[in-house]
Amino acid sequence: MLAALNDSRFVTALHWRIWLCQVALLLLLTPAFTFWSQAIFALLLLAKLDQIYFNRPVWSLGRSNLLAAMVMAVLLIMSKQLGVIHLMFHFLLLASLLRLLSIRSDDLADYRQLLWVHYFLIASCFIVHQNLAIALCILTLLALQLQIQYFLFAGKISPIRWRKIAIVAIVFVPLFTGFFVFFPRLPPLWQLPGAKAAQTGLADDMSPGSIEQLVASDQLAFRVTFEDKRPKQSELYWRAKIYTEFDGKTWRSERPSRQTTPPIANGNWGYTVIVEPHQQRVLFSLGQTKVLQGPVRLTAHDLVRSLQDVTQRLSYQLTSTDTPLPDQSEKLAYLLLPLGNPQSRELGNELKKLPTTQLIVEALAARFRTNDYKYTLSPGTLSGDEIDQFIFQTKAGFCSHYAGATVFLLRAAGVPARVIGGYLGGNWQDEQNYLQVRQRDAHAWVEYFADGYWYRFDPTAVVAPDRLENGLDGVLADSELSLLQQTWVRNNNFTQLIISKLDDLDFYWSKWVIAFNDQQQNSLLQELKASWQQLSIMQIARILLITLAVGLILMMVRWWMQREKAEKPVQLFRKLQRLVDKAPNESYQQFLSRVALTYPNCADLCQQLSASYGAWVFGNDEVAGKQSWRLMRQLVKVVNKQQQLTG
Amino acid sequence: MWRWLAKRQPAARQVQLNQKILFIFPTGFGFSTLALTVLFYILGTNYQNNLILLLAFFLLALLLVCIGLSYLNLSGLILSTDKEQAGFVGESLDIPFQLDSIHKRLAVMAGFVDQPCILLTEPRSTLSLQLSHRGFFSTPRIKLSSDYPFGLIRTWCYVSLAQNYWAYPAPKRSLAPNIGNHGELTGDLAWHHLSSYLPGDPIKNIDWKKLARQPLQPVVKQYRPEAVDIDFWLELNDGPLEAELSRLCAEVLACEARQQSYGVRLPSLYLAPAHGPLHQQQVLEALALC
């Protein structure tokens, strides 16, 4: 190996492959890096490229250490905003870049360290990305890394031997999948710092225009598979956040309380949710819920929260019923109103006169239905007494306006009410196998308290009932829709088909690979054990027989491949020897001359054959070999005919 | 440990590497990769990230498969001895040996135990040995090792080939004037053999009788200095043994260069005067074993 490291071509080939690995790592870990650190890394990579192509000497350790110290100092200053994990990524990538720039060719230890750090960085890529497409890119990076390691220890560059890889894969792939399915898994041992990134999805505060902004994005929020029963489209109200406080402009979500609602016994619907990373702890559920599985917990008001920030795809299982939530706690917070909006207060006082809460709600609904209220994305800005302006003047708004105004009016009428932020509906994919909920399904609605229960009321359903069934597509004016569709990638039918197929693939990848945790493994093992116990004697016998048959076939194939084939000259003369006897002490050419004497009319055929046989066997002439076979066939025919004639 | 090895694999002319004599153990890099696997398992479990767990399982499966691959790389290799070599003390001797099916194998390093290794690529390879003592020795064990394919697992074996070599005493002309009889060369030239005539050969050397029979193919007689009949004997004189042996070795080489017969009168060997490679070999071997 050391000799190979002295060969500059070998070293160059090795170095540019490692360089390619590092470029790929920089690109893959982009979400973890700031602009300046990426710039520094890119500069270092360019320096290495220059080193490779112009055969410059490697950097001295002193220089690379100095640079390392400088960059690390800068990073440590910025570390507060980076977070521990990202700092670690920076450090590792910096170390590997500098190591490649200063690698010494006389020692394998340098290369080993580099390869080790690269493996760690590849694992880090998996912390940042989990979707299928990028996972495949990371797999190719892993393949390149393996190739580098192979070349390094094999001592030379060789082309990829697919056949050998395939043979090794026969052993490797079952071993690997066996580990994945059967290797014991543990629940998380302790808490580790998560990778910090910007929060997405519903914010803690619902300020004017926030939901409108959210709806402009087509990003995936989460996906759901239902066990057997599927709710109707109009029942898919995914509760995420509760907004309690209103200051005249913004609704604030309430502080998470330590209380938990008692879980229900059993719900109508059982479902599994796979959430995209949004760096928050908020999760999604329908109605009254019980947690079946997953690192999540039920908090107050039947909301589901994750135990840790969701920094990577998370899967959890719930069972729910769409019934009103019972609540015995203090309701004062749900009656507070800020100053201002006198007209709405007036309206609320009038509504208070109605005997039951139900009538109040119906009156409000009737008001929205009959007074020309519009549902639009861009209602114009409101200021000052926003609720008054919305209800009495503009009469146009989006779900957050309607929900907020409804809650204000209800509170003014003495009914405890709150705004619920979440998602409405979703798209069924793959023949109703799973539901896709995107950011454009973000919604806000109302819950009011009456007779010990919280009931749901959606003002949007009153003003724009099509929203429930068709989402925003069926509700907004064309002009607004076209504005949105510029950010939604859903135009062409054909691309839509491909995209939806890729989405399906990504979903199943999430379900089976990403979400396969210890509980799922346990259930899989239980299933396997149960089905094993259920096997009858006949089935076992059948399986054994099939295995035996396959084994026998493989053994026969192997025997056939390995049997000793007679040497080619022997094969060539076999047929002729059946017709004419050959003495054991004769050479083949002597044999041919005797045949020529016995059967004079094929004399020159024998001579030609003798010549080409000699050229083939002793002169390694392949063309003569083919000719020999041809001549032999003719000779056999002639001799055969001769023998038949003579009887 | 060498005794145990000697029982397990006695010296043989041809050794095939098989499961009995090959050792397998992970290298340092293999252990650090194992540590990396454990780290990934912990990391993946804590983050509940299945992809990192997958990577951990991948590395584990790779380690296990490498054991097999590394073994298969060396298994079946046949090492066989070549002819005996001889050299002088103080030089380095190249010991050749033959390998079978080395082309299919990669990165096999070989060397004598505790000596630098070379990479094996050809079916015939040589390893050099520094000769320090005279005598007849058998080569030390050869260590064949390989880190193929990923440097994670190392397979090695200690092969003892039944290969012997001679170390003749270093030839050193003594400074003292030679005692012992020398043969003086006479000026006579004696006939040696015939060869075809080439233009430029002296005409008077032509064999005229043959020319009469074959006019078109003249034949020339070749002469060479006559070997003297005086016997030149090699004997051990008084003095330190090694120095004497060195001197005698030098004399042997000198006589052989002059094509002069020399006889040997040693405690272990008595040889009539003769010369030629076989005689030289006998004499040198006797000197080595003195």
Side-chain angles (χ1 to χ4, degrees), chain A residues 560-600:
Chain A
W560 170 260
M561 306 279 273
Q562 284 184 349
R563 75 201 156 117
E564 294 235 6
K565 290 203 198 142
E567 288 195 21
K568 292 225 168 58
V570 176
Q571 283 179 348
L572 183 65
F573 281 91
R574 217 199 297 247
K575 282 215 181 112
L576 192 59
Q577 278 180 276
R578 279 197 221 130
L579 299 173
V580 184
D581 275 331
K582 171 182 165 310
N585 60 346
E586 268 187 322
S587 78
Y588 281 119
Q589 286 173 320
Q590 287 174 336
F591 175 49
L592 280 174
S593 47
R594 193 160 60 83
V595 166
L597 287 174
T598 329
Y599 300 97

Side-chain angles (χ1 to χ4, degrees), chain A residues 132-151:
Chain A
L132 182 58
I134 303 205
L136 289 175
C137 292
I138 301 177
L139 276 175
T140 38
L141 177 59
L142 187 64
L144 184 62
Q145 160 97 342
L146 280 177
Q147 197 195 35
I148 293 172
Q149 200 172 349
Y150 180 84
F151 285 160

Side-chain angles (χ1 to χ4, degrees), chain A residues 119 142 146 172 176, chain B residues 53-63:
Chain A
Y119 274 124
L142 187 64
L146 280 177
F172 184 80
F176 173 59
Chain B
L53 279 178
L54 276 181
L55 198 60
F57 295 144
F58 182 88
L59 286 178
L60 193 61
L62 190 69
L63 269 168

Side-chain angles (χ1 to χ4, degrees), chain A residues 429-565:
Chain A
Q429 300 289 326
D430 194 25
E431 292 128 28
Q432 305 247 320
N433 259 337
Y434 69 97
L435 185 72
Q436 243 184 17
V437 178
R438 298 181 174 265
Q439 300 294 358
R440 64 177 175 161
D441 297 314
H443 193 48
W445 63 94
V446 175
E447 273 181 2
Y448 65 90
F449 187 75
D451 309 322
Y453 290 94
W454 286 96
Y455 293 91
R456 182 176 67 230
F457 171 60
D458 190 2
T460 311
V462 172
V463 177
D466 288 332
R467 168 90 198 255
L468 293 174
E469 294 297 328
N470 302 331
L472 280 178
D473 288 347
V475 156
L476 295 174
D478 278 333
S479 53
E480 289 180 329
L481 212 57
S482 59
L483 209 74
L484 277 181
Q485 276 178 343
Q486 281 173 3
T487 47
W488 297 349
V489 192
R490 308 254 123 191
N491 292 326
N492 193 339
N493 260 334
F494 183 62
T495 50
Q496 202 172 348
L497 194 67
I498 295 184
I499 289 171
S500 67
K501 285 296 168 211
L502 289 175
D503 280 341
D504 288 348
L505 214 63
D506 195 32
F507 171 69
Y508 288 116
W509 157 261
S510 290
K511 190 159 174 243
W512 285 114
V513 177
I514 307 278
F516 188 75
N517 57 7
D518 52 326
Q519 283 163 317
Q520 279 196 351
Q521 185 188 37
N522 271 336
S523 59
L524 183 67
L525 289 177
Q526 300 283 7
E527 266 179 64
L528 284 176
K529 224 201 300 190
S531 60
W532 179 255
Q533 283 167 348
Q534 277 174 4
L535 280 179
S536 64
I537 299 286
M538 279 308 294
Q539 282 177 320
I540 293 180
R542 219 178 295 159
I543 292 174
L544 274 176
L545 238 110
I546 293 177
T547 324
L548 259 166
V550 169
L552 268 170
I553 291 177
L554 282 173
M555 265 180 22
M556 285 202 324
V557 166
R558 186 160 166 219
W559 171 81
W560 170 260
M561 306 279 273
Q562 284 184 349
R563 75 201 156 117
E564 294 235 6
K565 290 203 198 142

Side-chain angles (χ1 to χ4, degrees), chain A residues 1-3 85 112-113 115-116 119-120 122-124 126-127 129-130 135 142 146-147 149-150 153-156 161 164 168 171-172 175-176 179-180 183-195 308 311-313 509 512-518, chain B residues 27-37 39-66 69 72-73 103-109 118-119 121 145-152 154:
Chain A
M1 257 91 65
L2 301 180
I85 292 276
R112 284 194 209 116
Q113 286 167 10
L115 287 170
W116 201 93
Y119 274 124
F120 210 93
I122 292 176
S124 314
F126 279 137
I127 294 181
H129 299 283
Q130 288 108 42
L142 187 64
L146 280 177
Q147 197 195 35
Q149 200 172 349
Y150 180 84
F153 289 100
K156 60 180 184 183
R161 283 142 60 183
K164 181 150 188 196
V168 173
V171 178
F172 184 80
L175 197 63
F176 173 59
F179 277 147
F180 180 64
F183 201 89
R185 289 172 191 234
L186 307 166
L189 301 169
W190 62 80
Q191 277 206 9
L192 282 178
Q308 285 176 298
T311 53
Q312 56 190 34
R313 273 187 195 166
W509 157 261
W512 285 114
V513 177
I514 307 278
F516 188 75
N517 57 7
D518 52 326
Chain B
T27 60
F29 193 40
F31 277 120
S32 63
T33 310
L34 195 63
L36 195 66
T37 308
L39 193 63
F40 282 166
Y41 183 76
I42 295 178
L43 215 63
T45 310
N46 260 325
Y47 278 111
Q48 286 287 300
N49 189 328
N50 266 346
L51 292 173
I52 298 186
L53 279 178
L54 276 181
L55 198 60
F57 295 144
F58 182 88
L59 286 178
L60 193 61
L62 190 69
L63 269 168
L64 291 177
V65 165
C66 266
L69 285 177
L72 284 174
N73 189 38
H103 290 297
K104 294 192 223 135
R105 298 157 201 282
L106 286 166
V108 183
M109 305 278 279
I118 59 161
L119 187 66
T121 41
S145 79
S146 170
D147 274 359
Y148 176 87
F150 291 107
L152 298 169
R154 176 171 296 142

Side-chain angles (χ1 to χ4, degrees), chain B:
Chain B
M1 181 197 154
W2 301 114
R3 279 196 306 239
W4 173 76
L5 263 184
K7 261 190 285 177
R8 203 171 166 86
Q9 192 249 314
R13 296 199 73 80
Q14 205 183 50
V15 181
Q16 182 170 34
L17 301 184
N18 57 18
Q19 188 243 340
K20 248 183 88 174
I21 46 177
L22 284 172
F23 299 111
I24 298 185
F25 200 65
T27 60
F29 193 40
F31 277 120
S32 63
T33 310
L34 195 63
L36 195 66
T37 308
V38 172
L39 193 63
F40 282 166
Y41 183 76
I42 295 178
L43 215 63
T45 310
N46 260 325
Y47 278 111
Q48 286 287 300
N49 189 328
N50 266 346
L51 292 173
I52 298 186
L53 279 178
L54 276 181
L55 198 60
F57 295 144
F58 182 88
L59 286 178
L60 193 61
L62 190 69
L63 269 168
L64 291 177
V65 165
C66 266
I67 296 180
L69 285 177
S70 190
Y71 171 78
L72 284 174
N73 189 38
L74 274 189
S75 155
L77 195 62
I78 303 180
L79 213 62
S80 30
T81 57
D82 219 325
K83 53 183 181 17
E84 263 181 16
Q85 300 290 315
F88 295 99
V89 169
E91 296 175 343
S92 70
L93 180 64
D94 281 336
I95 312 247
F97 52 94
Q98 278 181 322
L99 297 151
D100 193 17
S101 73
I102 190 65
H103 290 297
K104 294 192 223 135
R105 298 157 201 282
L106 286 166
V108 183
M109 305 278 279
F112 289 119
V113 176
D114 297 331
Q115 301 229 347
C117 293
I118 59 161
L119 187 66
L120 296 179
T121 41
E122 306 295 320
R124 296 182 83 95
S125 291
T126 61
L127 283 173
S128 62
L129 203 60
Q130 197 69 13
L131 300 174
S132 51
H133 299 286
R134 61 177 175 85
F136 180 59
F137 301 106
S138 55
T139 51
R141 281 182 179 268
I142 302 175
K143 178 179 175 186
L144 284 160
S145 79
S146 170
D147 274 359
Y148 176 87
F150 291 107
L152 298 169
I153 312 275
R154 176 171 296 142
T155 312
W156 74 96
C157 64
Y158 296 109
V159 176
S160 107
L161 282 182
Q163 174 97 23
N164 302 318
Y165 63 95
W166 288 97
Y168 304 136
K172 219 182 306 183
R173 293 202 88 96
S174 63
L175 298 169
N178 284 318
I179 325 163
N181 25 15
H182 282 265
E184 291 293 336
L185 296 172
T186 59
D188 260 352
L189 294 172
W191 175 98
H192 197 233
H193 64 274
L194 298 170
S195 67
S196 308
Y197 171 78
L198 292 169
D201 286 342
I203 302 276
K204 58 184 169 81
N205 282 351
I206 292 182
D207 190 341
W208 299 111
K209 283 197 189 151
K210 280 240 164 52
L211 192 63
R213 268 181 273 144
Q214 297 166 333
L216 295 173
Q217 287 166 345
V219 169
V220 162
K221 298 186 226 177
Q222 300 283 7
Y223 297 96
R224 73 169 174 102
E226 194 177 302
V228 177
D229 268 353
I230 302 176
D231 291 335
F232 179 53
W233 290 99
L234 295 171
E235 280 171 343
L236 276 177
N237 297 330
D238 297 325
L241 180 63
E242 293 300 322
E244 278 299 301
L245 289 174
S246 297
R247 178 187 65 83
L248 287 176
C249 187
E251 306 264 321
V252 167
L253 292 178
C255 287
E256 199 56 42
R258 294 196 300 260
Q259 303 261 305
Q260 180 186 15
S261 297
Y262 51 95
V264 170
R265 230 187 265 136
L266 289 172
S268 56
L269 186 66
Y270 174 83
L271 278 179
H275 62 272
L278 200 57
H279 184 75
Q280 178 188 28
Q281 191 181 351
Q282 273 186 304
V283 174
L284 284 175
E285 284 177 9
L287 285 178
L289 287 180
C290 247

